[in-house]
Amino acid sequence: ETGVTQTPRHLVMGMTNKKSLKCEQHLGHNAMYWYKQSAKKPLELMFVYNFKEQTENNSVPSRFSPECPNSSHLFLHLHTLQPEDSALYLCASSQVERDEQFFGPGTRLTVL
Amino acid sequence: GENVEQHPSTLSVQEGDSAVIKCTYSDSASNYFPWYKQELGKGPQLIIDIRSNVGEKKDQRIAVTLNKTAKHFSLHITETQPEDSAVYFCAERLRGNKLVFGAGTILRVKS
């Protein structure tokens, strides 16, 4: 595997379900990000982790819970989501000391 | 505020013509401006970027220009090809490593 990978690529869940999105980067980076991409809206930054420590929470509802166990893996735990949470969730990584961010292919989430 | 305006929202060009996409940012302290290309079913891919200490950067058929005084920057694609068809996003970097993105431009290259 190379670059940034995300699983699953597609996810359908009910509002009462609990699910998790996984991201893994194979680039040796030390910063990881979660973004939300909704139709007709700009990409929205959700969370930033630098050296496994959360440094940014962009006013994200608590039904989204991130976890970064090490600098290569990032999770987004989901529970009691709403239909308006349906979107493409993108993971990215970078070197903290550098500007360039590299994105994974995303998880297409549908909340019924 | 944290805002990047991007225009146009859609752009259709004939194969071989040039395409220009423009963005305006609000934070005068921003010093890094990347451009991403997103194809259907894929994540955004970094195609070119520019830092505030230069006014122009080129990479083969793509170039980016930056006007710090006016706080806008543009993507130029010359000799467009059908495979250039995608959604293009501009962004500015705010404090730390936070990127704020424009709303995107759907580019269609007609052959």
Side-chain angles (χ1 to χ4, degrees):
Chain A
E1 292 276 16
T2 58
V4 181
T5 58
Q6 291 186 242
T7 55
R9 295 293 311 275
H10 301 272
L11 178 62
V12 179
M13 60 187 289
M15 289 190 285
T16 58
N17 291 160
K18 289 184 180 181
K19 297 287 184 182
S20 295
L21 310 185
K22 179 183 176 182
C23 175
E24 184 173 0
Q25 59 93 3
H26 310 268
L27 300 169
H29 290 163
N30 47 32
M32 297 189 76
Y33 312 78
W34 280 117
Y35 287 86
K36 177 183 180 182
Q37 187 174 35
S38 306
K40 300 183 179 179
K41 290 179 69 175
L43 275 86
E44 301 171 66
L45 179 67
M46 300 174 71
F47 302 102
V48 179
Y49 277 83
N50 292 332
F51 301 104
K52 300 186 297 177
E53 298 298 321
Q54 187 180 128
T55 57
E56 183 91 24
N57 176 337
N58 207 25
S59 302
V60 180
S62 59
R63 58 185 183 270
F64 295 91
S65 175
E67 178 190 0
C68 189
N70 56 62
S71 56
S72 298
H73 293 85
L74 184 65
F75 295 89
L76 189 62
H77 303 299
L78 316 170
H79 62 99
T80 60
L81 295 191
Q82 304 299 311
E84 58 263 30
D85 296 322
S86 298
L88 182 69
Y89 288 85
L90 291 159
C91 173
S93 71
S94 74
Q95 285 290 124
V96 171
E97 315 79 34
R98 296 182 60 85
D99 300 316
E100 301 88 347
Q101 293 185 20
F102 297 88
F103 284 82
T107 295
R108 174 67 62 184
L109 174 68
T110 302
V111 181
L112 301 177
Chain B
E2 302 174 356
N3 186 38
V4 177
E5 293 188 6
Q6 183 171 346
H7 300 281
S9 56
T10 59
L11 178 60
S12 290
V13 299
Q14 201 65 36
E15 183 178 358
D17 288 349
S18 295
V20 180
I21 303 170
K22 300 182 179 181
C23 288
T24 303
Y25 62 98
S26 55
D27 190 339
S28 56
S30 295
N31 60 4
Y32 174 70
F33 306 92
W35 284 90
Y36 285 84
K37 174 184 181 182
Q38 187 173 23
E39 297 175 278
L40 198 62
K42 298 183 179 180
Q45 177 188 7
L46 179 66
I47 56 171
I48 195 167
D49 54 19
I50 191 167
R51 289 172 175 77
S52 58
N53 58 345
V54 297
E56 183 176 4
K57 183 177 177 181
K58 290 185 70 174
D59 183 1
Q60 299 182 330
R61 294 187 298 107
I62 60 173
V64 56
T65 59
L66 172 65
N67 183 327
K68 285 191 297 181
T69 304
K71 290 194 283 188
H72 61 69
F73 57 111
S74 300
L75 178 71
H76 305 254
I77 306 174
T78 59
E79 300 173 34
T80 53
Q81 300 168 4
E83 52 264 37
D84 294 329
S85 296
V87 183
Y88 291 82
F89 295 95
C90 63
E92 66 168 327
R93 190 190 69 175
L94 300 181
R95 64 191 182 285
N97 43 2
K98 179 177 181 178
L99 290 180
V100 175
F101 285 82
T105 296
I106 300 172
L107 174 64
R108 296 190 183 94
V109 179
K110 298 174 287 186
S111 55

